[in-house]
Amino acid sequence: MPPLNIFIDESGNFDFSPNGTKLFILTAVSTTDCPELLSGCIQLRHRIAASGLDLEEFHATEDRQVVRDQMFGLLAEHVTHGCFSVDAIIAQKNKVNPTIREETVF
């Protein structure tokens, strides 16, 4: 059985007051059988490093637009293969039970 690769990122914050974000979202990109996608990520990282951009990891909120565009381009190349899936959990924070709003619990 091929290995499962999962890449997860969050959007929103842990501030449940009216000043916090309205939503908290966890999004996962997963693949079990696409070595071309995985090697494409590694090659992209090397190309970006060779261009002089300092990139420790891919992280959309911190990456420059040019990096994000290249990552989305790589994913777009693989959409027709159906070799990965994107799943998201969206929580409307004002509806979250107050007993689990602490960051380490939530």
Side-chain angles (χ1 to χ4, degrees):
M1 180 174 194
L4 173 63
N5 296 281
I6 304 173
F7 305 91
I8 301 173
D9 202 2
E10 82 285 340
S11 177
N13 60 34
F14 294 103
D15 180 355
F16 286 86
S17 77
N19 297 329
T21 57
K22 181 178 180 179
L23 304 172
F24 187 83
I25 304 169
L26 284 175
T27 304
V29 175
S30 59
T31 181
T32 56
D33 193 22
C34 193
E36 295 85 7
L37 177 58
L38 299 175
S39 66
C41 286
I42 293 168
Q43 291 170 11
L44 175 58
R45 195 171 177 172
H46 288 183
R47 278 197 312 272
I48 291 169
S51 74
L53 289 177
D54 185 24
L55 180 69
E56 189 172 315
E57 62 185 1
F58 290 117
H59 193 258
T61 58
E62 297 168 7
D63 290 344
R64 296 179 183 165
Q65 188 63 50
V66 66
V67 173
R68 287 184 263 167
D69 290 346
Q70 290 179 69
M71 177 55 83
F72 286 125
L74 175 63
L75 292 172
E77 291 173 20
H78 291 271
V79 166
T80 57
H81 304 166
C83 63
F84 70 92
S85 63
V86 178
D87 299 282
I89 298 172
I90 303 169
Q92 189 173 335
K93 290 175 13 184
N94 66 347
K95 293 185 178 181
V96 172
N97 186 326
T99 63
I100 64 167
R101 290 183 178 180
E102 184 180 322
E103 182 175 342
T104 56
V105 177
F106 184 70

